[in-house]
Amino acid sequence: MRGRGYLAFFVGICLTAWTCFFVMEEQQKQQVRASFQRDAEKVARDTQSRLAIYFDTLHGMKGMYAVNDRIDRLHFHRFVNELKVDRRYPGFQALQFVRLVPEAELPAFVERVKRDNSIEPQAYPDFYVHPASRRPVHYIVEYTEPLKGNENAFGLDLSALSPHLKALELGRDSGEIVATIPITLVQDASGGEPGFVARAPVYRNDLPRETTAQRREALVGFVAIVFRVNTLMREVIDPTLLEHLHVRIEDGGLLNGRPPEPGDDTLLYDSDGKAETHQERAEVVPGLVTSTALPVGQRNWIIKFEGRSGTRYGRSQLPVLLIGAVGVIISALIAALLVANRRESAARHGLEFSLKELELQKNNVELARGDLARVVATLKQAQTNLQTSEKMASLGALVAGVAHELNTPIGNSLLTASALGDMVRDFERRLKADGGLKRSTLEMHMADARKACDIMTNSLTRAADLITSFKQVAVDQASGQRRRFRLDEVLHDTLATFAAQLRRAGCAVTVNVPADIVFDSYPGSLSQVFSNLIGNALLHGFDGRECGAITINARREGNDLVVLELKDDGVGMNDVVLHKIFDPFFTTKMGQGGSGLGMNIVYNIVTSVLKGTIRVDSMPAAGTVVTLVLPLWPEEQAAYAA
């Protein structure tokens, strides 16, 4: 039964394919050929209509000269502008007037054109006739509109160019519009785009012109339209049509003359060479070829058309699809009955395999989640250890700074005590040797002793203050206990530990903090914030500079907030650094004293411990401003161990 079902399906498909082929081959050939013929006729008709419009323009220009055969440059310019051909019917290169100039009048003609300032105030001092030649008469392009883009044609002597001269003489003798053979325009810098010129003769109004001789005698010049054929056909043919239709135009010679041999010299237009389409050209459909002859300025244009395979000249798929669909459906229904059981078995096997794969993936995800949790815990522990190390390093730097500061007052006290001892021994020696002392000597000794005592007192007091500040800062940072404190005192103690570093960096610190700002908070955490910010300014802000300035301002805002601003006039930061400043392990001084944790610790302390906010504003070469907004009484929190 299953073998018979497959056989029936195969036979049904074969019958369906044969029917579709018959419908496609026999019934649709005529429809495709008719569509191709309509397109070819439309292109030929549109080309002839557009050329007729331009030739009507030539007749209009010729009619202007029939009224007045002494039209000057200004009148020609105004007439062409009023035609508005470039906007109404674009596709031409230039409108021209070619003047007949006898050899004897050539110098006077050149001088007259050079002095003609009717349009350009500076006239045309660089005008010259080219190519230079000596002959009885010259046909020179005197007016050309527009002049921009057609400068090479201005002053062109057409009598020296054989293709132009032949067309001019034919137009002179016949009195009709005459087109040239395919030529390369002097305006074409590329030198490879075909063009042609259509000209109509202009005669003097006071002379007869019934015969050829009379027309030669009365000739004044020619009005002309210059074309680039590719530009002209771009206005005639829809670019989308060229995806399906190959158009080639060749010059067929004079209407009553012998046609030239086809070749590149006769080619006027080839859509394959200049068609503006980005699609790959399809193959030519056999049988879709036609041609037509088009009279243009006493010449024959042979327009050849070839249809390309594609949707436009393809056969309609609807009947074929309907027949094919019905045949396939009938055949498939038979085959479906036979393969249903097999598909069901295959589907069951695939589902079981998918469930096993899903279970395996689930186990892998669980293992990966466990590994990720262990990595996160390890990273958190590492961050805590690094923050503790950073805190200990800060205390170590604080100890080193205080030790350096204590060295001066203690050294001064030791030196003064030694000097005082020497003074006492000298006083005792003199007392024993002389048996008595003068009152002035005793008073001098007492004054020196008092001065020495004052020096030792001041030095030891300074040392005691430093030790007190260090002790308070160290205890606060080590303990992390909450207590009441004055902001200016904490800031004073912190700055005291940085005195040596600030002095070495040539950094001046200005503090504007009122004495009545009292916090009930964590002075150790706040001191660590100040230490990290000042250290950052010294390490990064004044890098490469011999001096700098730091300004610290504080003010109350409302009843329970304080705004702190730390400004420096350092090198500042760009947007990239500013965006990453609070990221852990980010530093611009890696391996040069920067750990990348300072500003991350500051952010955590300000937001988590002090319950405030922090903002950093900076621009390159414009310094940095760090703004802290802190509550006077932050909410209670868990123990802090930064």
Side-chain angles (χ1 to χ4, degrees):
M1 183 62 69
R2 181 173 298 180
R4 292 180 180 179
Y6 284 126
L7 179 61
F9 178 76
F10 176 75
V11 172
I13 292 297
C14 291
L15 291 174
T16 302
W18 180 84
T19 305
C20 293
F21 176 78
F22 176 78
V23 172
M24 188 184 314
E25 286 296 321
E26 297 300 327
Q27 296 187 2
Q28 298 188 20
K29 283 183 179 180
Q30 296 300 325
Q31 181 179 355
V32 171
R33 185 174 296 278
S35 176
F36 167 74
Q37 194 67 32
R38 284 195 301 270
D39 290 339
E41 291 175 355
K42 181 180 185 303
V43 171
R45 185 172 57 254
D46 291 347
T47 303
Q48 189 171 28
S49 299
R50 179 56 65 93
L51 287 173
I53 291 171
Y54 289 126
F55 288 177
D56 287 344
T57 302
L58 268 183
H59 284 298
M61 296 168 63
K62 184 176 180 179
M64 175 182 65
Y65 277 89
V67 176
N68 181 6
D69 56 15
R70 288 178 172 79
I71 299 295
D72 59 15
R73 187 181 306 277
L74 179 60
H75 290 110
F76 186 84
H77 174 74
R78 289 176 177 174
F79 180 80
V80 171
N81 282 347
E82 288 299 322
L83 289 176
K84 296 182 175 59
V85 182
D86 56 337
R87 286 189 293 174
R88 296 165 57 200
Y89 304 105
F92 71 96
Q93 176 67 26
L95 299 177
Q96 297 176 342
F97 174 70
V98 180
R99 187 175 296 279
L100 183 149
V101 182
E103 174 69 24
E105 299 177 9
L106 185 61
F109 168 77
V110 172
E111 289 301 319
R112 185 173 70 253
V113 174
K114 287 184 176 181
R115 295 192 304 269
D116 187 354
N117 60 357
S118 58
I119 297 178
E120 297 292 340
Q122 68 273 19
Y124 307 98
D126 299 329
F127 174 79
Y128 68 100
V129 176
H130 58 93
S133 64
R134 298 184 63 84
R135 56 187 64 247
V137 293
H138 301 268
Y139 296 100
I140 302 172
V141 178
E142 183 178 8
Y143 310 148
T144 181
E145 295 289 340
L147 182 57
K148 184 176 181 181
N150 296 285
E151 294 86 349
N152 292 342
F154 188 31
L156 181 65
D157 186 358
L158 302 177
S159 63
L161 305 174
S162 177
H164 292 277
L165 182 59
K166 291 180 180 179
L168 291 171
E169 291 175 344
L170 179 59
R172 175 198 64 190
D173 295 344
S174 65
E176 301 294 335
I177 294 177
V178 177
T180 66
I181 63 174
I183 59 173
T184 299
L185 304 177
V186 295
Q187 298 95 322
D188 187 1
S190 64
E193 187 172 333
F196 77 98
V197 183
R199 300 187 180 94
V202 174
Y203 302 101
R204 290 180 55 181
N205 296 331
D206 56 349
L207 294 178
R209 46 183 181 273
E210 283 75 16
T211 66
T212 300
Q214 289 175 342
R215 285 192 287 271
R216 292 181 179 181
E217 181 67 23
L219 184 68
V220 175
F222 295 85
V223 289
I225 298 183
V226 183
F227 295 93
R228 280 191 174 98
V229 184
N230 290 322
T231 304
L232 172 66
M233 298 307 295
R234 190 181 302 122
E235 297 296 326
V236 173
I237 306 176
D238 184 0
T240 58
L241 180 60
L242 296 180
E243 299 171 7
H244 311 278
L245 186 68
H246 175 214
V247 182
R248 182 181 175 91
I249 304 177
E250 294 181 355
D251 179 47
L254 295 173
L255 291 176
N256 299 321
R258 180 180 178 182
E261 292 295 329
D264 292 338
D265 293 340
T266 64
L267 179 64
L268 282 160
Y269 175 74
D270 189 343
S271 62
D272 277 0
K274 299 295 182 180
E276 295 184 354
T277 174
H278 301 291
Q279 296 186 5
E280 185 177 353
R281 299 182 179 94
E283 296 295 330
V284 175
V285 178
L288 293 187
V289 178
T290 187
S291 63
T292 184
L294 190 68
V296 178
Q298 300 192 48
R299 303 191 71 84
N300 268 325
W301 280 12
I302 308 302
I303 308 180
K304 300 178 180 179
F305 302 92
E306 294 178 329
R308 298 188 186 278
S309 61
T311 56
R312 191 175 187 89
Y313 302 133
R315 291 151 182 166
S316 176
Q317 302 299 320
L318 183 58
V320 177
L321 291 176
L322 289 176
I323 296 173
V326 172
V328 170
I329 290 173
I330 295 174
S331 302
L333 287 175
I334 298 174
L337 295 175
L338 301 176
V339 300
N341 292 333
R342 184 175 180 181
R343 287 185 177 179
E344 182 180 357
S345 176
R348 185 183 302 109
H349 177 73
L351 180 59
E352 292 175 354
F353 179 77
S354 299
L355 290 174
K356 292 180 180 179
E357 286 292 323
L358 182 61
E359 185 67 23
L360 180 60
Q361 293 295 331
K362 180 180 178 182
N363 294 335
N364 292 337
V365 169
E366 290 293 333
L367 292 175
R369 188 179 65 83
D371 293 341
L372 183 60
R374 287 191 293 272
V375 170
V376 171
T378 302
L379 288 176
K380 287 184 177 179
Q381 183 62 38
Q383 183 176 4
T384 302
N385 294 339
L386 286 172
Q387 289 177 344
T388 303
S389 299
E390 181 74 10
K391 180 177 177 181
M392 293 300 102
S394 176
L395 286 174
L398 184 147
V399 170
V402 171
H404 184 275
E405 286 297 302
L406 288 175
N407 187 49
T408 299
I410 293 176
N412 290 339
S413 298
L414 182 60
L415 180 62
T416 304
S418 299
L420 181 59
D422 292 340
M423 290 169 53
V424 171
R425 285 190 293 273
D426 182 64
F427 180 79
E428 291 176 347
R429 181 184 57 77
R430 292 175 61 184
L431 180 60
K432 291 178 181 180
D434 297 339
L437 291 174
K438 295 182 180 180
R439 182 180 180 88
S440 60
T441 302
L442 179 60
E443 290 176 350
M444 184 181 298
H445 175 73
M446 294 298 293
D448 290 341
R450 188 179 303 108
K451 185 176 182 180
C453 290
D454 291 340
I455 291 174
M456 288 189 292
T457 301
N458 292 335
S459 297
L460 293 175
T461 300
R462 172 61 179 159
D465 290 341
L466 286 173
I467 292 172
T468 301
S469 297
F470 165 69
K471 179 180 178 182
Q472 188 62 61
V473 171
V475 169
D476 285 338
Q477 290 196 13
S479 66
Q481 295 299 315
R482 178 170 181 164
R483 64 178 178 85
R484 289 178 61 85
F485 61 91
R486 283 172 46 185
L487 177 62
D488 59 337
E489 292 178 349
V490 171
L491 185 57
H492 174 270
D493 293 342
T494 305
L495 288 173
T497 63
F498 277 90
Q501 299 179 48
L502 293 170
R503 189 164 50 252
R504 284 196 301 270
C507 179
V509 180
T510 303
V511 179
N512 299 314
V513 178
D516 61 345
I517 298 180
V518 179
F519 279 85
D520 184 357
S521 187
Y522 301 90
S525 299
L526 185 57
S527 177
Q528 187 172 357
V529 169
F530 286 143
S531 297
N532 286 6
L533 293 178
I534 295 172
N536 260 12
L538 294 176
L539 180 61
H540 302 281
F542 303 128
D543 183 26
R545 299 180 56 176
E546 296 181 356
C547 61
I550 297 176
T551 303
I552 303 176
N553 300 317
R555 69 177 187 276
R556 295 282 293 268
E557 187 170 291
N559 295 327
D560 58 350
L561 292 179
V562 173
V563 179
L564 281 169
E565 288 185 346
L566 285 84
K567 303 180 183 178
D568 67 64
D569 60 351
V571 297
M573 293 175 280
N574 57 34
D575 291 340
V576 175
V577 176
L578 193 61
H579 181 69
K580 298 181 178 180
I581 191 170
F582 294 124
D583 292 352
F585 309 111
F586 173 77
T587 177
T588 59
K589 292 289 185 180
M590 184 61 68
Q592 305 176 38
S595 65
L597 288 173
M599 291 304 293
N600 180 254
I601 291 174
V602 167
Y603 180 82
N604 289 333
I605 292 175
V606 170
T607 58
S608 300
V609 179
L610 301 178
K611 302 300 182 181
T613 61
I614 181 171
R615 186 181 77 249
V616 180
D617 300 305
S618 182
M619 292 180 64
T624 302
V625 179
V626 181
T627 304
L628 307 175
V629 180
L630 304 175
L632 292 172
W633 309 282
E635 297 177 358
E636 291 294 337
Q637 62 169 17
Y640 170 66

